[in-house]
Amino acid sequence: DYRPLHHEKRAKRMKMISIVVAVVVVLAVVIGCAVGLSARRPAKGDNGGGINRLSEGSAKVAGTDTYTSGTSDDVIVILPDINGMSKEVMEIADYFGKGGFTAVVIDYFNGNPRNVSDPTWNSRFPANQSLAYSLGVIANIRARGYTNIQTQGYCYGGRVGVWLNSHNITSVAIKSGAMAHPSSLANSDASFIDRPIFFQMPAVDGFNSMAPLFNATLTTRNIPGKFEIYPNTTHGFAVSATINPVQKAYAMEDSLQWFLDHR
């Protein structure tokens, strides 16, 4: 009787071992799947396509003060007028953010908006310096994984924006630009623009006399250009809350549609 009993005990022992091995294998598979899913799961702020997202609100990007609104993959870089990071320009960023974009305001004045009583302001904040700050921020945005970038410039920032949309300045991935009442442009700037561009002009402004030449130059070079005049407005209307709020709203809507059409 010994031998059958021995075989029976051995069979039971082997069965238990098989069960234990099976359980270990199952646990290993479960743990492996969990680890794999964890590795594939995008980090917070990442859409899975490799974008390290900008945080909403005020923050330094590439060492420059910025304000960000929105969480889209598509970016609008806002280049402000001489008032810098004003309440009005941040409200515009919020509008674009709610309209389906990530809007980033660049404060290339480092918290020092134009002070008419400061005779050194212009020399301390030349446009080429603001261009350099803007290029640094845009390079950081691109390094985060954003590839669809457009620009909105106002007054002083309109000049910076025209340069950013020009092949003689940069080859960064900017798809188009909208420039409201740009200042201090030269006729020669028209020859270097190589991306679709939208000029938003008040009824009376210094750039208006240059617009026909810009239009002709862009047409000759097959660069899409749009020139819109907003009635009953003066320089600064697209940012100011008091010049003509109705036309300002139209300008914001037109910019948003332009960016939607060109993203």
Side-chain angles (χ1 to χ4, degrees), residues 81 88 92 181 235-245 248:
D81 60 13
E88 288 79 10
I92 292 172
H181 37 79
H235 186 84
F237 83 95
V239 176
S240 171
T242 59
I243 293 176
N244 192 323
K248 174 184 177 179

Side-chain angles (χ1 to χ4, degrees), residues 23 27 68 110 120-121 125 143 182 195 201 206 212 223 228 231 238 255:
V23 170
L27 286 174
T68 298
N110 301 314
T120 68
W121 191 90
F125 299 104
R195 297 163 177 85
M201 305 182 298
I223 303 297
E228 186 82 22
S255 285

Side-chain angles (χ1 to χ4, degrees), residues 47-108:
N47 70 347
I51 295 180
N52 177 17
R53 296 201 175 279
L54 293 157
S55 299
E56 290 194 276
S58 298
K60 281 193 178 294
V61 175
T64 300
D65 290 338
T66 64
Y67 173 79
T68 298
S69 183
T71 58
S72 170
D73 293 356
D74 303 326
V75 177
I76 299 172
V77 172
I78 299 178
L79 310 157
D81 60 13
I82 57 176
N83 294 310
M85 193 83 75
S86 64
K87 173 186 174 183
E88 288 79 10
V89 80
M90 288 192 289
E91 288 174 348
I92 292 172
D94 291 339
Y95 174 81
F96 290 147
K98 292 175 182 176
F101 290 87
T102 294
V104 183
V105 182
I106 300 178
D107 184 13
Y108 29 59

Side-chain angles (χ1 to χ4, degrees), residues 214-234:
F214 269 68
N215 189 20
T217 303
L218 293 174
T219 300
T220 299
R221 298 175 53 241
N222 294 316
I223 303 297
K226 179 180 178 181
F227 297 78
E228 186 82 22
I229 294 178
Y230 295 81
N232 304 311
T233 58
T234 56

Side-chain angles (χ1 to χ4, degrees), residues 43-228:
K44 185 178 181 181
D46 190 325
N47 70 347
I51 295 180
N52 177 17
R53 296 201 175 279
L54 293 157
S55 299
E56 290 194 276
S58 298
K60 281 193 178 294
V61 175
T64 300
D65 290 338
T66 64
Y67 173 79
T68 298
S69 183
T71 58
S72 170
D73 293 356
D74 303 326
V75 177
I76 299 172
V77 172
I78 299 178
L79 310 157
D81 60 13
I82 57 176
N83 294 310
M85 193 83 75
S86 64
K87 173 186 174 183
E88 288 79 10
V89 80
M90 288 192 289
E91 288 174 348
I92 292 172
D94 291 339
Y95 174 81
F96 290 147
K98 292 175 182 176
F101 290 87
T102 294
V104 183
V105 182
I106 300 178
D107 184 13
Y108 29 59
F109 303 137
N110 301 314
N112 295 282
R114 174 72 180 275
N115 183 349
V116 294
S117 62
D118 180 4
T120 68
W121 191 90
N122 287 339
S123 61
R124 289 192 294 117
F125 299 104
N128 58 350
Q129 175 178 283
S130 297
L131 173 65
Y133 286 142
S134 300
L135 287 170
V137 173
I138 292 170
N140 181 282
I141 292 171
R142 291 190 68 201
R144 290 170 175 271
Y146 294 96
T147 58
N148 190 340
I149 303 171
Q150 301 184 76
T151 56
Q152 171 74 66
Y154 297 100
C155 183
Y156 176 105
R159 184 184 191 189
V160 177
V162 165
W163 289 348
L164 285 171
N165 285 269
S166 300
H167 66 76
N168 68 325
I169 295 295
T170 176
S171 60
V172 297
I174 293 176
K175 290 198 170 183
S176 82
M179 306 301 141
H181 37 79
S183 64
S184 303
L185 288 174
N187 286 329
S188 58
D189 288 326
S191 300
F192 297 103
I193 298 170
D194 69 347
R195 297 163 177 85
I197 195 161
F198 176 24
F199 287 103
Q200 300 170 292
M201 305 182 298
V204 178
D205 198 31
F207 176 73
N208 291 27
S209 62
M210 303 170 66
L213 182 145
F214 269 68
N215 189 20
T217 303
L218 293 174
T219 300
T220 299
R221 298 175 53 241
N222 294 316
I223 303 297
K226 179 180 178 181
F227 297 78
E228 186 82 22

